[in-house]
């Protein structure tokens, strides 16, 4: 009997020792290295700007690694120009960072970040959705991404509870209304189309009436792509906006879609469209397809028009409100 008790006690002690030993072997939460890489996927804006960040951020890391000699300042200007930041903005940003006499590369990087963010500061970037319905006319050169941006925008507006109606006022290109109709069906959004070759202002007018009759909050009008240098086509666009303004009382938003891959020509486009129809906001698209996302800086430095939206892909979720801080971080990278 005693032997049995001793055997059980010995087994219990052995078990306790094994349990303690096993518990010690299991790593504790505090053992995880604090600097372990995070597994969080990149945000949409980080993903969209990856090509620019690779080009600009890596160049910047290389420059900063060598120290702040005079070659650094020339190199920095060249890196900004290569990312399409534009001559005026590149020169002035570098001048201001240099004038602040940063003591080391980390200080230079922080100043650069602040100067780039400063270019974007102080602008209202909210989409104007005032009116009954609010009217958003979308304009731009051929292929800049107008129709796709409209689809993404409609999804966003509907998601915010703002019932939207689309107007296919691109009567010029045969397949244009069809393309927008495919999007409207996919998104479950109402659309008004016209006859191919018809008057785009008449389609816009009909759509406005339909939006009112159906109690929609926002009317988004697609227009035909046109070269900013073609006077008669710009006149036609002016008529669309005038007719809508007369009927609606106000066109709250004329959104210019600029293709982010077209470089400095985007500035000339913006000037011409502004003269013709008074652009109130910019949607900068295709930033995912370029290493020259710095064009956003040039656009804001040289034009007094806020970038309100950016396109970072072809999917419906790939339209983001422009957030200057997140944009600059995504542009420069975090190292
Ligand atoms: N990668 C990428 N592609 C885009 C983006 N926005 C638009 N696109 C693509 O650009 C192409 C042209 O887009 P559309 O929306 O048809 O351009 P549009 O300005 O309406 O063209 P027109 O009506 O012919 O003047 C399409 O293949 C789109 O999928 C974007 O942010 N990223
Ligand atoms: Mg189109």
């Amino acid at each position: 009997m005693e032997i049995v008790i001793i055997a059980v006690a010995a087994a219990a002690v052995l078990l306790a020792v094994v349990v303690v030993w096993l518990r010690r072997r299991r790593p504790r939460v505090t053992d995880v290295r604090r600097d372990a890489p995070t597994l969080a996927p990149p945000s949409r804006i980080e993903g969209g700007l990856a090509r620019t960040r690779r080009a600009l951020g890596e160049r910047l890391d290389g420059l900063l690694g060598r120290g702040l000699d005079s070659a650094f300042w020339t190199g920095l200007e060249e890196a900004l120009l290569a990312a399409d930041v534009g001559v005026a903005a590149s020169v002035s940003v570098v001048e201001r960072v240099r004038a602040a006499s940063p003591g080391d590369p980390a200080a230079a990087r922080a100043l650069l970040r602040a100067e780039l963010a400063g270019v974007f500061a102080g602008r209202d970037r909210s989409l104007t959705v005032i009116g009954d319905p609010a009217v958003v006319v979308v304009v731009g050169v051929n292929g800049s991404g107008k129709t796709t941006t409209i689809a993404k925008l409609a999804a966003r507006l509907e998601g915010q509870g703002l019932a939207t109606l689309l107007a296919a006022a691109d009567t010029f290109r045969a397949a244009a209304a069809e393309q927008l109709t495919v999007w409207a069906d996919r998104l479950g959004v109402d659309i008004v189309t016209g006859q191919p070759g018809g008057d785009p202002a008449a389609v816009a007018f009909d759509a406005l009436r339909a939006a009112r009759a159906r109690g929609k909050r926002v009317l988004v009008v697609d227009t035909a792509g046109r070269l900013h240098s073609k006077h008669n086509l710009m006149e036609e666009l002016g008529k669309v906006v005038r007719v809508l303004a007369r009927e609606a009382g106000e066109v709250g938003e004329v959104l210019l879609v600029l293709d982010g891959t077209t470089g400095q020509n985007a500035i000339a486009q913006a000037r011409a469209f502004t003269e013709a129809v008074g652009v109130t906001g910019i949607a900068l698209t295709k930033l995912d397809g370029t290493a020259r996302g710095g064009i956003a800086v040039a656009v804001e430095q040289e034009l007094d028009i806020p970038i309100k939206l950016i396109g970072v892909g072809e999917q419906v979720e790939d339209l983001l409100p422009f957030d200057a801080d997140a944009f600059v971080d995504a542009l420069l990278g975090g190292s």
Side-chain angles (χ1 to χ4, degrees), residues 142-148 152 173 179 225 286 288 311-314:
N142 308 71
S144 55
K146 295 176 292 301
T147 305
T148 315
K152 295 169 178 173
R173 197 163 57 82
Q179 185 191 353
K286 308 190 195 179
D288 54 308
V312 293
E314 293 184 273

Side-chain angles (χ1 to χ4, degrees), residues 98-125:
R98 194 171 187 175
S101 307
D104 55 51
R109 175 185 271 279
L111 282 165
L112 175 65
R113 196 211 164 281
E115 285 299 337
L116 288 174
V119 172
F120 296 111
R123 288 197 177 88
D124 180 7
R125 301 180 188 281

Side-chain angles (χ1 to χ4, degrees), residues 55-308:
L56 179 61
E58 280 175 15
R59 218 162 148 168
L60 194 61
D61 287 343
L63 284 168
L64 288 167
R66 288 199 340 236
L68 302 180
D69 55 4
S70 68
F72 167 79
W73 300 106
T74 326
L76 179 57
E77 204 172 289
E78 282 168 7
L80 293 174
L81 282 171
D84 241 340
V85 166
V87 178
S90 299
V91 169
S92 68
V93 162
V94 170
E95 258 173 26
R96 285 198 296 269
V97 176
R98 194 171 187 175
S101 307
D104 55 51
R109 175 185 271 279
L111 282 165
L112 175 65
R113 196 211 164 281
E115 285 299 337
L116 288 174
V119 172
F120 296 111
R123 288 197 177 88
D124 180 7
R125 301 180 188 281
S126 53
L127 204 71
T128 311
V129 281
I130 299 167
D132 184 24
V135 179
V136 180
V137 181
V138 179
V139 303
V141 302
N142 308 71
S144 55
K146 295 176 292 301
T147 305
T148 315
T149 299
I150 286 168
K152 295 169 178 173
L153 179 60
R156 206 163 243 288
L157 291 167
E158 291 269 339
Q160 292 166 1
L162 297 167
T164 300
L165 185 131
L166 303 179
D170 178 355
T171 54
F172 181 72
R173 197 163 57 82
E178 213 175 288
Q179 185 191 353
L180 194 62
T181 304
V182 169
W183 274 114
D185 289 348
R186 198 190 295 174
L187 299 170
V189 175
D190 283 8
I191 181 168
V192 168
T193 60
Q195 293 302 317
D199 179 3
V203 179
F205 181 86
D206 288 348
L208 182 71
R209 294 237 154 145
R212 267 202 194 127
R214 298 181 206 175
K216 303 292 182 185
R217 294 283 310 281
V218 189
L219 170 68
V220 186
V221 182
D222 193 12
T223 62
R226 65 202 70 223
L227 267 183
H228 51 297
S229 51
K230 291 271 193 264
H231 185 69
N232 55 337
L233 291 179
M234 295 301 266
E235 286 277 294
E236 181 194 78
L237 197 57
K239 184 178 163 198
V240 172
V241 175
R242 275 197 309 279
V243 164
L244 283 166
R246 199 171 56 220
E247 182 66 14
E250 181 186 12
V251 170
E253 196 75 68
V254 177
L255 200 60
L256 171 65
V257 178
L258 293 177
D259 177 339
T261 68
T262 53
Q264 298 295 311
N265 187 255
I267 310 284
Q269 290 172 24
R271 292 217 166 94
F273 276 97
T274 296
E275 264 174 41
V277 286
V279 173
T280 58
I282 288 171
L284 190 60
T285 61
K286 308 190 195 179
L287 287 174
D288 54 308
T290 180
R292 305 180 134 237
I295 185 67
V297 184
V299 163
E300 292 257 335
Q301 168 97 5
E302 293 185 35
L303 307 161
D304 195 21
I305 311 167
I307 298 173
K308 295 194 169 176

